[in-house]
Amino acid sequence: MIRILKLLAAGVLVALVASCGAGKFKTYSGPPVTQIIVNKSARQMLFLSGNTIIKTYNVGLGNEPIGHKQFEGDGRTPEGLYYIDRRNPDSRYHLSLGISYPNPQDEANAAALGMRAGSDIFIHGQGPEGQALSKTRRDWTVGCIAVTDPEIEDIYAMVRDGTPIQINP
């Protein structure tokens, strides 16, 4: 009898542990996201299906939010046309979607300044670090686009690799 209770308790524990991570990955069955538009000055990110806006999010940006990213470490969020090119399910910022920065023009511009263009620009959640930083300032990343953890869970499910993202001043 005790052995059966121990096995039952172990089974319940395994089920609880397995269900803890399940909430991070959602499913999406709405219209396809065909384009993302970020308007930096408005701190808004729009998700479009064709010409229809299907979702809008308020965002945080790089800690130097004005101007196009010129080189690694400048704290700016890039501007221009890029693409979602990778996913990180183990991001220190909960979940993240990679943006195809730098493109060849970004690399050439940085090289002309004698600098590196940088890399690892993402749309991401907050995670513990971002939750602390976002309490004191809206623009807290080093160049990424930040949303809340529940929002990145939705975005991660909605957006497919290859989706264009237009980042405007």
Side-chain angles (χ1 to χ4, degrees):
M1 178 68 159
I2 292 177
R3 182 177 167 100
I4 292 172
L5 288 175
K6 285 182 180 179
L7 286 172
L8 182 60
V12 169
L13 183 61
V14 168
L16 283 173
V17 169
S19 68
C20 287
K24 185 174 176 177
F25 300 102
K26 298 181 177 179
T27 58
Y28 175 72
S29 60
V33 174
T34 58
Q35 182 180 17
I36 303 167
I37 299 175
V38 176
N39 294 314
K40 288 173 51 175
S41 61
R43 303 298 191 283
Q44 282 194 326
M45 182 165 52
L46 312 171
F47 289 77
L48 285 79
S49 183
N51 294 324
T52 304
I53 297 171
I54 56 174
K55 192 72 178 171
T56 302
Y57 294 95
N58 293 320
V59 299
L61 302 170
N63 55 39
E64 294 293 334
I66 298 174
H68 175 59
K69 183 166 194 61
Q70 295 181 9
F71 53 85
E72 185 173 53
D74 68 5
R76 293 181 177 158
T77 301
E79 296 172 356
L81 178 62
Y82 299 94
Y83 297 88
I84 301 301
D85 66 353
R86 62 201 181 280
R87 303 172 169 271
N88 184 354
D90 300 315
S91 171
R92 72 192 254 194
Y93 301 108
H94 195 56
L95 293 169
S96 59
L97 294 174
I99 296 173
S100 63
Y101 176 88
N103 62 32
Q105 186 63 49
D106 295 321
E107 289 176 346
N109 291 344
L113 297 171
M115 307 290 282
R116 292 179 31 170
S119 60
D120 290 339
I121 301 296
F122 288 87
I123 299 170
H124 61 65
Q126 295 175 315
E129 180 181 343
Q131 287 174 10
L133 289 170
S134 66
K135 288 179 182 174
T136 60
R137 55 189 173 169
R138 182 175 192 170
D139 299 318
W140 58 270
T141 77
V142 293
C144 296
I145 299 165
V147 294
T148 67
D149 289 350
E151 290 170 338
I152 194 61
E153 290 173 3
D154 292 338
I155 293 166
Y156 199 87
M158 292 170 61
V159 176
R160 299 288 149 244
D161 289 356
T163 302
I165 177 168
Q166 176 66 46
I167 306 171
N168 300 319

